[in-house]
Amino acid sequence: METVQEADVSLSQLNESPSGSLVIYVIPETSGLLPDGINVYMGIYRTAILRTSLHKEAKMEELLSVIGPKILRIIQTVTFTNNDIKASMSDRVPTGKFTKESLADSMRAFKSSPGNYEITFSLLNPDPKSHDLHWDIEEAVDKYIQPFLDKLSGVANFSVDSQILYYAILGVTPQSLPHVINPVEARLGKKVYIRFILQSCALFFCSTFLIILTAPLYIKDQNGATVQSNAFHSPRWGGIMVYNVNEKYSDNNRFPVQVNIDTVRVMEVFLAQLRLLLGVQLAYVPDDFLMESPANQGLTDWELDRFLWLRTLENIATATTTQTSLAQLLDEIGNIVIHDKIASQVYNAVIAIQAAIAELEAGNLGFAFQSSKEAILASEKAFFDPSLLHLLYFPDDQKFAIYIPLFLPMSSALWEMWCQ
């Protein structure tokens, strides 16, 4: 008998669903395709399988009344809510109240950017005389990270590199997570956008850091329980994972001890944290839903659509607020000359915003996202145009405040000379 996973693959091949769509297949309640207690299966493609009671004699109105609410529940689960939208744009426009979960998702993720993301994996070895560490980071990235980044290739450009830092010690006995982040950040050889750190005898993950320690270090949650992954992430910064290695050798071993990093365990943590840092939100599913794991791909098709919807709305909000801010600033400055290229960028941004909204309404998610990226680029080019910077940061009132103290004594002297 075909499994539900095999059925999902077969059904996805029957009809290639466009971006932003979802095909729901309905099976009878007597079908054994789904496990007991499971009524909805969400695979890795843009398909869902719904099990419900159907009667052949039922009219179309009766069928819709039965499956309509269930289909709506599926759509609400795999898309996003108004709270998700409000939280996504919380630092751009006033949006009112939103749930704690939506706010957490918004605060931890890097904000949408049409530019480049640099991801660096760093292995910190504080005592290379005691530990000879080996990690096949190139193979691990190709297997676990690159498929995920390939799915997001239309969102931004990603570059991945790695480094090993020797004699990188914390310098303090960490009692809280900032005690770990601050010494590690000071050892970074370059500025990176997303950091993952792995440290031995403690493994740290921060947009790419693996830290090796000479004494065990365990991370605990707010209730005092040990965190199973022994890792944490800092919102909009990166992640750290502690990899304890002293349990792998005895006192009779000769130094340096050969240590092979378990990259499978490490990359499972790194990939989960990278999803959160880039804004791939978790779907909170009912108990009778079965969600298929994306495995090494890191991202299902419907998760990608959900991500693009939110990013498109965020881009539209960002471009709109940038245009509004520019209009307000220019309105406050008198006798200003706007160059034609700035006016052209403003015009292009407005056209791109209108196009993104129109494409969203038409259900063309891919075109809507591309238009939203063009809107951000055009609006930022106009706002940060070099010909406007000196006017924005040095308006006439500040110039008068600077020069009046210099010319006032000279004017007084000239007045006295004229009066004599």
Side-chain angles (χ1 to χ4, degrees):
M1 180 180 177
E2 190 178 40
T3 64
V4 66
Q5 290 80 8
E6 294 171 340
D8 181 43
V9 175
S10 300
L11 291 173
S12 66
Q13 294 173 349
L14 291 176
N15 183 20
E16 185 176 351
S17 304
S19 177
S21 65
L22 180 66
V23 179
I24 301 176
Y25 295 91
V26 181
I27 61 175
E29 194 173 23
T30 56
S31 173
L33 187 61
L34 297 180
D36 293 338
I38 299 298
N39 295 319
V40 176
Y41 172 79
M42 287 298 308
I44 61 176
Y45 305 103
R46 296 181 178 93
T47 57
I49 299 176
L50 168 64
R51 179 165 62 184
T52 186
S53 57
L54 296 173
H55 301 284
K56 295 181 179 180
E57 298 80 10
K59 296 181 179 180
M60 182 60 67
E61 293 78 6
E62 296 177 359
L63 291 176
L64 292 177
S65 65
V66 173
I67 67 175
K70 297 180 180 180
I71 292 177
L72 180 60
R73 194 165 66 120
I74 295 175
I75 295 175
Q76 291 174 338
T77 300
V78 301
T79 56
F80 51 87
T81 65
N82 289 334
N83 286 327
D84 295 328
I85 298 174
K86 292 177 181 178
S88 178
M89 299 184 293
S90 59
D91 60 349
R92 285 167 170 77
V93 292
T95 54
K97 296 181 179 180
F98 31 80
T99 64
K100 180 180 179 181
E101 292 79 9
S102 298
L103 180 60
D105 288 336
S106 173
M107 292 180 63
R108 73 163 60 94
F110 288 100
K111 285 305 173 184
S112 179
S113 171
N116 301 323
Y117 289 84
E118 181 178 349
I119 302 174
T120 300
F121 293 90
S122 302
L123 173 64
L124 272 61
N125 186 353
D127 190 4
K129 294 181 179 179
S130 301
H131 302 90
D132 185 10
L133 305 176
H134 298 273
W135 67 338
D136 194 346
I137 186 62
E138 184 175 358
E139 180 182 355
V141 168
D142 290 341
K143 185 176 182 180
Y144 294 97
I145 304 298
Q146 197 58 50
F148 172 71
L149 299 181
D150 289 342
K151 281 217 162 188
L152 295 176
S153 58
V155 176
N157 298 320
F158 296 92
S159 62
V160 180
D161 59 15
S162 63
Q163 61 180 344
I164 300 178
L165 301 179
Y166 295 100
Y167 298 101
I169 60 177
L170 297 182
V172 296
T173 301
Q175 301 296 327
S176 64
L177 298 184
H179 292 162
V180 175
I181 293 179
N182 294 339
V184 167
E185 191 170 29
R187 289 301 308 271
L188 293 180
K190 58 180 178 178
K191 183 178 181 180
V192 295
Y193 198 75
I194 307 178
R195 310 166 185 82
F196 292 105
I197 306 176
L198 182 62
Q199 177 152 358
S200 164
C201 241
L203 170 66
F204 289 93
F205 152 63
C206 152
S207 192
T208 9
F209 266 110
L210 178 57
I211 305 178
I212 307 298
L213 302 181
T214 56
L217 177 63
Y218 299 98
I219 299 174
K220 296 184 178 181
D221 60 20
Q222 57 185 1
N223 298 321
T226 301
V227 177
Q228 184 177 3
S229 64
N230 215 26
F232 67 94
H233 70 276
S234 179
R236 304 183 187 180
W237 185 81
I240 292 183
M241 181 179 179
V242 180
Y243 192 91
N244 294 306
V245 300
N246 64 328
E247 303 166 351
K248 301 181 181 296
Y249 64 90
S250 64
D251 294 336
N252 296 327
N253 282 105
R254 298 182 60 183
F255 293 99
V257 177
Q258 300 291 325
V259 178
N260 293 316
I261 302 297
D262 185 359
T263 53
V264 175
R265 178 162 67 94
V266 171
M267 284 299 162
E268 287 177 350
V269 175
F270 284 177
L271 181 57
Q273 293 190 348
L274 184 58
R275 281 168 51 96
L276 295 174
L277 290 168
L278 290 178
V280 180
Q281 299 182 3
L282 297 175
Y284 300 94
V285 300
D287 294 335
D288 62 337
F289 276 52
L290 176 61
M291 291 288 189
E292 189 66 34
S293 170
N296 291 357
Q297 294 186 15
L299 194 67
T300 64
D301 288 349
W302 61 266
E303 283 181 320
L304 175 60
D305 292 346
R306 190 171 188 255
F307 174 80
L308 289 179
W309 277 104
L310 288 174
R311 286 302 197 191
T312 301
L313 293 175
E314 185 180 329
N315 290 347
I316 292 174
T318 301
T320 302
T321 53
T322 300
Q323 293 285 84
T324 303
S325 299
L326 178 60
Q328 292 174 345
L329 287 171
L330 297 180
D331 188 55
E332 295 175 358
I333 302 174
N335 301 323
I336 185 173
V337 177
I338 309 278
H339 294 173
D340 290 341
K341 64 176 182 178
I342 299 176
S344 177
Q345 293 294 349
V346 171
Y347 178 79
N348 292 338
V350 173
I351 294 298
I353 291 172
Q354 293 174 343
I357 295 174
E359 296 292 353
L360 276 181
E361 293 176 345
N364 301 323
L365 179 57
F367 291 113
F369 179 73
Q370 292 302 323
S371 296
S372 71
K373 288 176 61 176
E374 295 172 4
I376 280 187
L377 290 173
S379 62
E380 290 186 349
K381 284 182 179 179
F383 190 88
F384 295 105
D385 190 272
S387 64
L388 292 180
L389 291 181
H390 71 284
L391 296 173
L392 297 177
Y393 292 101
F394 301 101
D396 292 339
D397 55 348
Q398 292 189 14
K399 293 178 182 177
F400 284 123
I402 293 173
Y403 289 113
I404 284 179
L406 300 178
F407 288 106
L408 189 59
M410 184 182 299
S411 300
S412 300
L414 292 174
W415 174 255
E416 291 178 357
M417 294 175 58
W418 184 80
C419 292
Q420 293 177 356

